[in-house]
Amino acid sequence: MQFDPRPVKESFALIEPAAVRAIAYFYGHLFAAHPRLRALFPPAMNVQRERLFRALTRIVWSLDCPPGLTTDLARLGCDHRKYGVTPAHYAAVGDALLATVRRFAAEAWSPEVERAWAAAYATAAEIMIEAAAADTSPPWWPAEVIGHERRTRDIAVLTLRPALPFPFLPGQYATVQTARWPRVWRAFSIANAPRADNTLRLHVRAVPGGWVSTTLTRRTRVGDTLMLGPARGTMTAPAPSGRDILAVAGGTGLAPLKAIIEAVIAADSPRPRVHLLYGARSGGELYDLPDLIRMRARSPRLQVLPVVSAEPAYEGLHGTLPDVIGHFPSWRDHDAFVCGPPAMVGQAVRRLRQDGMPPDHIHHDRHPEEH
Ligand SMILES: NC(=O)C1=CN([C@@H]2O[C@H](COP(=O)(O)OP(=O)(O)OC[C@H]3O[C@@H](n4cnc5c(N)ncnc54)[C@H](O)[C@@H]3O)[C@@H](O)[C@H]2O)C=CC1
């Protein structure tokens, strides 16, 4: 990359504390100069604002490590195809970005700083535009809802059939857009390994104020069409390592782990064995237990241990998942996959580390960008 990252990082450090005002200024500038661009963005901009700043922060602080940055930017460029972004839009965004730096870097601004930002942005935009142009897969897939089961008041399991082959690896997630909320994409993990009939399942909890999750859970019917963005995510089924597997799933965090387990136990081999700790707040919230019991009946390699954290009358194992991990002698010789509420994931990972599990044997999703 042909630019000096130092002035960019130094001026960004000054902008960061004023992030909220800087982002508002950025979008104000962008939409004032190019009103038509507003139509590419969702009606409410709050999530979008945070997302832009998270992406910008990641990019600026990794300007020194071009290989990782190039991969991230290329993926970002490909993902932007589903928004209908064209190369001309990049110039408009670049103008708004430079105006924002000029305004918020204040006394640290200089022609040298501006040149460094312009060069960094031009490089990033070029990588994104070229990656998008080279991507021959569809920008999004229409998918028909062929199954919709309300498992609890707030959780539904949807079965979708994309109109074209939809490639993904077990454990990945896809972004989803509903007709009700144009331009609003949210990520959901795919809860099965790839199937010959191209169908896939999503486990969706309606979160308060969640437009897409509430629509998918409460207002979606068999026969509706959704849009799927390309599959993403690095927490995928492991290559054989000789180690058995511990899967720790909290709530709908079960989805990607179920896909990974399905792929692992499909192989005709006596190992690895899989222990699944499946946690919920109450017995009624163990929304997928009957299906997991069926999987266990088909595969002697799978053990399923349901755990409930907040229902004293539940007849079964009580506790939080991180505590239950500690009830066993040791998981040190396993590979671990952990998914669920971020606080639970953090505690479970710490517990496994304390037990002596090497960090590269512990797998969890970097929180999906659009989850
Ligand atoms: N690929 C990914 O990263 C995915 C992530 N998720 C995330 O999983 C979460 C699932 O949420 P819900 O179904 O509402 O789960 P939930 O809130 O009903 O909790 C499920 C389990 O996690 C435990 N738990 C919850 N908060 C905890 C805390 N602070 N400390 C320790 N344990 C805690 C509960 O005791 C229970 O065992 C969401 O945050 C969702 O974003 C879900 C699917 C895929």
Side-chain angles (χ1 to χ4, degrees), residues 51-128:
R51 195 176 295 160
L52 172 84
F53 198 70
R54 274 207 309 272
L56 198 57
T57 307
R58 215 174 46 236
I59 290 168
V60 169
W61 293 124
S62 52
L63 286 175
D64 287 330
C65 35
L69 181 60
T70 303
T71 311
D72 275 4
L73 287 170
R75 192 173 307 122
L76 203 59
C78 294
D79 283 350
H80 274 69
R81 295 165 70 228
K82 69 177 186 255
Y83 298 105
V85 169
T86 65
H89 297 139
Y90 283 87
V93 167
D95 289 345
L97 183 64
L98 289 187
T100 307
V101 173
R102 211 172 294 137
R103 165 91 169 69
F104 284 85
E107 71 273 18
W109 183 90
S110 68
E112 184 210 357
V113 168
E114 174 136 350
R115 271 196 300 278
W117 272 93
Y121 181 76
T123 308
E126 192 181 321
I127 294 168
M128 290 175 70

Side-chain angles (χ1 to χ4, degrees), residues 160-240:
L160 311 180
R161 186 167 46 213
L164 297 166
F166 181 78
F168 67 96
L169 299 171
Q172 288 194 304
Y173 57 88
T175 50
V176 177
Q177 182 184 247
T178 63
R180 189 177 169 85
W181 297 110
R183 303 183 300 284
V184 180
W185 295 83
R186 293 286 181 269
F188 297 92
S189 287
I190 301 165
N192 55 279
R195 296 171 171 170
D197 67 1
N198 198 35
T199 60
L200 53 93
R201 289 188 141 195
L202 306 178
H203 296 180
V204 185
R205 179 188 286 281
V207 295
W211 294 353
V212 178
S213 66
T214 304
T215 302
L216 291 176
T217 310
R218 306 217 165 106
R219 297 179 187 270
T220 299
R221 304 283 174 265
V222 167
D224 288 353
T225 296
L226 307 174
M227 288 160 72
L228 292 178
R232 293 283 182 256
T234 53
M235 185 182 71
T236 53

Side-chain angles (χ1 to χ4, degrees), residues 277-278 305-308 317-329 331 351:
L277 306 184
Y278 173 36
L305 191 61
V307 185
V308 159
L317 197 56
H318 287 253
T320 69
L321 289 164
D323 286 343
V324 170
I325 289 174
H327 291 175
F328 292 80
W331 298 105
R351 183 62 75 125

Side-chain angles (χ1 to χ4, degrees), residues 29 60 118 138 148:
H29 195 285
V60 169
H148 189 282

